[in-house]
Amino acid sequence: MAFAIMTMTDQAADRVREIVAGRAEQGAQGVRVGIKKGGCAGMEYTVDLVTEPDPKDDHISHAGAHVWVDPAAMLYLLGTQMDFEVTKLRTGFVFNNPNQSSACGCGESVELKPADLKELAEARGEL
């Protein structure tokens, strides 16, 4: 099995499938995850609708849900688990990212460092 940049929980897959079903008339196939500069901590996660997948994106699927990962974000998202949660204060995707070094107080932006590829290879027993 190929190595996946990210994984997603059943809850995240359920929400992605709901988004696709709600936008079927627009040709929705899944969502695209990336990062952009912004917020008080420096970076923000992005989640956008995918109607036409970019062949350069990394593709992950779980339980019938499809997520594409922006190549520019891959080193920052390596090892990340995409989840979806509903709380009293917030509903949305949550990214459990080992490359996150801090977050702002409101949780809308994060500080990310690129993944250490040597450390990853050692953890996978490749070195």
Side-chain angles (χ1 to χ4, degrees), residues 65-80:
H66 299 276
V67 173
W68 285 268
V69 181
D70 177 359
M74 286 183 189
L75 278 180
Y76 294 99
L77 297 176
L78 197 60
T80 297

Side-chain angles (χ1 to χ4, degrees), residues 23-31 48-54 68:
R23 303 283 179 91
E25 70 282 350
Q26 296 174 352
Q29 295 185 34
V31 298
D48 300 302
L49 189 67
V50 171
T51 56
E52 191 171 316
D54 185 332
W68 285 268

Side-chain angles (χ1 to χ4, degrees), residues 23-71:
R23 303 283 179 91
E25 70 282 350
Q26 296 174 352
Q29 295 185 34
V31 298
R32 183 175 200 243
V33 175
I35 55 170
K36 68 177 184 177
K37 292 184 180 189
C40 51
M43 299 179 122
E44 298 173 344
Y45 295 103
T46 61
V47 179
D48 300 302
L49 189 67
V50 171
T51 56
E52 191 171 316
D54 185 332
K56 296 179 194 135
D57 289 351
D58 190 63
H59 175 247
I60 61 170
S61 64
H62 175 71
H66 299 276
V67 173
W68 285 268
V69 181
D70 177 359

